[in-house]
Amino acid sequence: MKKNVFKSKAFNLAVTFSMLIAVIIIAFVVLFVFLLRRNYRKRQEILLAVILENVEKQGMEKGLSSIYSGDLPDIPYFVSLCIYEKESKETLFTNDPFIVNLPETKDKSVIYLEKNYFIDGDLNVLYRTRNFVCEGMSLVVQASINMDRDYAVRILYDLFLTILLFSVPLILVSFLSSYAIIKSTINPVKKMARTAESMDFGNSTHFEIAGSDDEFDDLARTFNKLFEKIKEDFERERQFTADVSHELKTPLSVISGHANLIRRWGKDDPVQLEKSINRLNDEVHSMQMIIENLLQISRLERGTVKFNRTNVAIGELVQRLKEDTEAWAVNSEVIIGNMDTDSIFCDSELLYEAMTIIVSNSVKYSDPDFVTIKIEEKVTDRGTELSIKDNGPGIKPEALPHVMKRFYRGDESHNRGKKGNGLGLSIVKSIMDVHNGEVQIFSDGCCGTTVTLIFPKERNT
């Protein structure tokens, strides 16, 4: 659907830019005319002050006769001059009989406006008065400029209108040019929008990177990383859902089968009844373990597990693990090897849980007669490494890349008769992820397995 151009961001930005240009032009013109007019007004005020000073000076030098006769300094044609006696208001001299005896200003320039002063208009003048004494007579000299006939002011006004008139095409040109520039600038965004609309998790579409290394390229890279992460999360959740469905399908089938056996023969066959009830209990327990482990992984990945990192005395924690393991697995021996440091900066309960899972796997998949587990800790360039090694049958090389995936349980020969849901090492990996660490597993497929928990340096010293 074609988008209304008036609603486009390019159009709105162009209008905003043009309005800004218009405001700047108007403000500049107003300020320019104001300053010119103010400067011109100042010059008029100075002119009036100079005329009054010269008239007073000549009157004082030549006396009243010069005033009566009009023997005064040259007066510009646009300046009206009037000299009158202060008390009686009698006019001694004027070059404009229409403008006489205005209120005194005490040697200051002021605007005087009187409506309907003339038959055909108002009186609007800038004038100034000055008092002086000549031959014992108090006189007032008054000089004024008619503002309605001030051509300089009219020129400034015409200049203002002219500049505003010429600014209209300038604003129009600025609008068209800014619209074109902005439209061209945001084209990559429109392309990203179209690309986003065509994206789905079934194809490998990515946001195009133009190679200009500008902000749009950075945005495209960020979106690509975000899409890849979302895609990975989606694929993981889809696989997770499929795995859960598959893992729960077996115990549910077993539960359904034994429920039918109980309904048919259980009432009359106590042996079958006891056997079916035990199997039902086992399968329910298995389902509970799957759900609890899934919730634990989910809480770790979402960061909702209470996480309390401290300097944990690693020797004491390993000793506790040794005693607990040898208590429940009588066919096992836990050997505590070399410990390079006294403590590891981590969450003690989460670390203990990770070690317990690893040791439980060693006991579960090793020789039923006896299993030896050795725990060592050392400091390397990578950080603090805690290794747990057993003498079991090992893990086949082709299975190693998959052992930390959810519900992966390796080949059937190693799993036959072994209880478990394939989530243990996934939990270990999640625990190390929240510690910003990693898990490494080594096995030659026949002579034992070594699981190493690597904690980053940080405060592990």
Side-chain angles (χ1 to χ4, degrees), residues 409-427:
R409 300 183 61 196
D411 61 278
E412 292 300 322
S413 63
H414 282 170
N415 286 322
R416 188 175 295 114
K418 309 296 183 182
K419 294 183 178 180
N421 49 46
L423 290 172
L425 289 178
S426 296
I427 295 176

Side-chain angles (χ1 to χ4, degrees), residues 432-445:
M432 293 308 296
D433 285 343
V434 299
H435 283 88
N436 296 320
E438 60 178 301
V439 185
Q440 287 189 349
I441 301 177
F442 172 78
S443 178
D444 58 7

Side-chain angles (χ1 to χ4, degrees), residues 181-296:
I181 293 172
I182 295 171
K183 188 176 180 181
S184 174
T185 302
I186 65 175
N187 267 339
V189 177
K190 296 172 69 175
K191 291 178 66 175
M192 287 182 186
R194 290 193 295 267
T195 302
E197 289 177 354
S198 65
M199 277 183 168
D200 60 54
F201 295 117
N203 58 41
S204 58
T205 306
H206 284 74
F207 292 103
E208 181 181 352
I209 298 176
S212 55
D213 203 27
D214 56 9
E215 290 82 356
F216 289 117
D217 276 1
D218 292 339
L219 183 62
R221 293 189 190 96
T222 303
F223 280 155
N224 284 337
K225 291 179 181 177
L226 177 62
F227 182 74
E228 286 298 322
K229 185 176 184 302
I230 294 174
K231 187 175 181 180
E232 290 174 3
D233 290 342
F234 178 79
E235 289 295 334
R236 184 167 57 249
E237 292 304 319
R238 185 166 60 181
Q239 185 62 44
F240 176 73
T241 303
D243 290 340
V244 170
S245 300
H246 180 269
E247 290 296 319
L248 294 182
K249 183 177 180 180
T250 300
L252 287 173
S253 298
V254 173
I255 290 172
S256 177
H258 280 278
N260 288 328
L261 286 176
I262 292 174
R263 185 177 60 184
R264 293 177 182 177
W265 301 294
K267 295 178 181 179
D268 302 323
D269 189 347
V271 176
Q272 180 61 48
L273 177 63
E274 181 69 20
K275 180 179 178 181
S276 294
I277 290 176
N278 289 336
R279 285 300 305 273
L280 289 173
N281 185 62
D282 290 342
E283 295 303 326
V284 169
H285 178 71
S286 175
M287 292 175 65
Q288 287 177 333
M289 291 299 299
I290 290 175
I291 294 171
E292 288 175 5
N293 288 335
L294 289 175
L295 289 175
Q296 173 75 338

Side-chain angles (χ1 to χ4, degrees), residues 375-399:
I375 304 176
E376 292 183 312
E377 184 256 1
K378 62 181 179 179
V379 178
T380 67
D381 293 338
R382 297 186 298 178
T384 302
E385 299 183 7
L386 185 65
S387 299
I388 302 175
K389 182 178 181 180
D390 63 44
N391 63 343
I395 302 172
K396 290 185 177 182
E398 59 270 21

Side-chain angles (χ1 to χ4, degrees), residues 339-380:
M339 297 285 168
D340 283 357
T341 62
D342 295 329
S343 63
I344 295 179
F345 188 63
C346 64
D347 184 297
S348 61
E349 292 305 316
L350 290 180
L351 175 57
Y352 186 80
E353 181 180 358
M355 292 192 299
T356 300
I357 291 172
I358 297 169
V359 169
S360 297
N361 282 349
S362 296
V363 174
K364 187 186 303 181
Y365 295 105
S366 295
D367 192 312
D369 293 334
F370 198 78
V371 57
T372 300
I373 302 168
K374 185 175 183 180
I375 304 176
E376 292 183 312
E377 184 256 1
K378 62 181 179 179
V379 178
T380 67

